[in-house]
Amino acid sequence: MKYLRFVLDHLRKDLRLEWRGRDAINGMLFFALLVVAIFSLAFDPTGYPTTTRQISGGVLWVAILFSSVTALNQAWTREIRNQVLDAQRMAPSPASSLFLGKALANLIFVLCVEAILAPIFIIFYNLHPLGNAWLFLLVMPLGTWALVVNGTFFAALGLRARNRELLLPLLLFPVSLPAILAMVQAASGILTNDIDAIQINLWIKQLAAYDIIFTTLCILLFETILHAE
Amino acid sequence: MDQGTLTSQRTATIAAPAWLRATAILWFIATVIVLLIGFRQALFTAPPDGELGDVQRIFYYHLPFAVLGMVFPYVNLVASLAFLYLRNRNPLKALTADALALASAQVSVLYVTLMLLTGMLYARPVWGIWWTWDARLTTAFILWLLYVSYLLTRKLAAPDQIAPLSAVLAVFAAVDIPIVYMSIRWWRTQHPAPIFGGAEGSGLAPSIWPPTLWNVAGWLMWGIFILCFRFAVERRNQIADQEHALQAIEASLHDHQG
């Protein structure tokens, strides 16, 4: 329970900082909108509803993936200012609670962006989901967590690297590929209703398994990252 | 003992002992001989394939690269785990493990690259296209991406953090590979690609076995040779770095005495 309190403390601190500045959410939202706009140049979303349905799942996740990378890159930089991270290193609380708090905060930021983005996306791309749209309530958080948990971890890993803005996507994208595959397949499946419900469920289960495995791995290895010298 | 003799004694340990040098040369000669036998078997002795003709001979090179490209990443994983275990217990031994991890990652990337290239050369005449997003090809490509990103991390990370960070990344990559394999297999078997006709593993004819085995053995020996070579170079770099650090400390002590 003490551990949970540490996590909540870190989470509260990050939420408060974000509430005061709102840098991450505003930046991500605008970036995602730009990606949506650029994809509408690549194909005509209103003219071809079937094609739009088939590729919208992918476009949505690409927009979220790229925009969340911009925020994740900044996630740890506010800890560097005034040597806050050094203080965190010496703090008696377990290192993984710092990580979990940060990852949960990032999850909330990205989910906020998705909540605003989703209606805009539906309007701009003239989407009518043919499958069970309520499943998105499961797919979006699970997929976002898969991105955010690894992203927060790799952002901390590359914190002192040269070109750290470049390093994060180079590490995050290859490791996330199975999760991205599952997210895109599940989302397209719900939108087009082409594949049957059992398969969509299997993709969601796979996403959940990916989340569990990589969350465990991140929690186990975060201390090595924080004290890597 | 003055400073000069101390340094010369220590640098003497960098040079490889004579027996190791002799073993390396003998190993290299043996590797070349085995590869030559494999070459002769693959290109001249083995009969041309009934369906595919001479093109099928690429298989004798493609298969060893594919098999060994899956083996060397395990060396990398074991070395990385050893590094993480030894890091706080025995830092000097941990450095050795790190050198092995780097060497095996480089050899992995080399072999997977060769596997992809020979695979494309094989696919073009047989399937009619250079590349298809089939389960196995996609998995191999992602394997390649993961180990290239590993090497990039080693290049970009802060010098004192390279070893622990890359060891952690190696664990991530190793956990990711089976998941990639399962998910993509499951995904693509839903839509079997019609061009995927010439299954290579299905029932090897007896005439195919000798050239295959000679080539696997030869490329394995070659891989071990360059792995050890890269390992030795990396060890020398590490020892030279330690030497620099020691000399700097000695020099500063000298200044204080003087």
Side-chain angles (χ1 to χ4, degrees), chain A residues 131-147:
Chain A
N132 182 5
W134 290 107
L135 279 176
F136 270 116
L137 287 181
L138 212 53
V139 175
M140 299 311 279
L142 283 175
T144 310
W145 178 250
L147 294 180

Side-chain angles (χ1 to χ4, degrees), chain A residues 96-112:
Chain A
S96 58
S97 69
L98 168 66
F99 168 75
L100 269 185
K102 184 75 83 185
L104 284 172
N106 283 330
L107 175 73
I108 293 172
F109 302 159
V110 180
L111 283 179
C112 285

Side-chain angles (χ1 to χ4, degrees), chain A residues 46-65:
Chain A
T46 41
Y48 305 93
T50 317
T51 318
T52 308
R53 256 186 226 110
Q54 280 165 353
I55 52 183
S56 289
V59 173
L60 179 66
W61 278 115
V62 167
I64 292 167
L65 186 63

Side-chain angles (χ1 to χ4, degrees), chain A residues 57-73:
Chain A
V59 173
L60 179 66
W61 278 115
V62 167
I64 292 167
L65 186 63
F66 286 170
S67 58
S68 59
V69 164
T70 60
L72 288 167
N73 261 325

Side-chain angles (χ1 to χ4, degrees), chain B residues 164-175:
Chain B
L165 297 190
S166 56
V168 167
L169 191 62
V171 175
F172 267 79
V175 171

